[in-house]
Amino acid sequence: MELKWLEDFLSLARTRSFSRAADERHVTQSAFSRRIQALELWLGVSLVDRSNYPTTLTAEGREFLETAEETVRMLYASRLALQASKRPSTQMVSVAALHTLSLHFFPRWFRTIEKDVGPIGSRLLPDDFHSCLQALVEGSYDFLLTFHHANVPILLEPELYPHIVVGRDSFVAVRSANLPDGADDTASLPLLSYASNSFLGRVATFAQAQAGSPLAHATHTNENAMAEGLKFMALEGYGLAWLPRSLVARELDEGTLTIVGPEIPLEVRLYRSARRTRPIVEKVWNAAQSAARKTM
């Protein structure tokens, strides 16, 4: 039996919908359904009445619901207590950040925070959006550092997960300056794309549909959603890539990459969990708010 099965079951009991619960748990509906079935198989009873809509629990499901809620609560409470007992005396915060932000934004931004609160340690998780979001929601990290665009909403309850806009960037379509002149004006320009279900992939889909965006057709997909990989493919002349401008600032200045379309504004947001209220977390949050007011 896996903890995520219990969390899936609680999500389904709350939403009363397989599709909404799957979205909430950031998995496909088929994968979510298999995990519910695996839990039922382990328990040896049916938990969900699949003959009705909205989805309802069976009598056994209603009986098990309280057990599942208490088990999940106790496991997370125990984990937090154990982590606290092992935590070194040095003040430390943990940040889950998108790959690009961990490389090109976090170091400089964190230095401004330290100027306010003094030297602190950090635990950084550079990963894709869903892994970073999961790290925040499951309580294993204090903060989430991510890009944001209005057309790709981040489905977090504002009361539970408040945010600060800590920076600005933009999404730009770039290609190697060594491609033939006029190549970006034709439908034959190759498009280097992200995985379709990735955060930057959804922003890129929106950007590609805007007026003035270059015509292109997908030829290479980077399934791990790392913008850095697409940057180097673009530098080698494989085609067009939509990238955060901060990631290609040097190449644009040097003239090895050139912009071939409109710029799509992006926010850099810092999210936190309202449940994690250690003193050092509050100090970093307040310092981030102060820094944002000075720079925005």
Side-chain angles (χ1 to χ4, degrees), residues 255-266:
T256 54
L257 289 175
T258 183
I259 296 176
V260 288
E263 294 198 33
I264 307 300
L266 292 175

Side-chain angles (χ1 to χ4, degrees), residues 201-264:
R202 294 197 295 273
V203 179
T205 298
F206 166 80
Q208 189 62 26
Q210 301 310 295
S213 294
L215 298 175
H217 65 281
T219 60
H220 171 79
T221 299
N222 186 345
E223 288 291 349
N224 67 7
M226 286 185 64
E228 288 80 2
L230 295 186
K231 167 185 167 179
F232 288 107
M233 292 289 289
L235 280 168
E236 290 297 324
Y238 281 92
L240 161 78
W242 284 94
L243 299 169
R245 185 173 185 129
S246 59
L247 178 61
V248 294
R250 177 180 298 178
E251 289 76 13
L252 292 173
D253 288 342
E254 293 173 348
T256 54
L257 289 175
T258 183
I259 296 176
V260 288
E263 294 198 33
I264 307 300

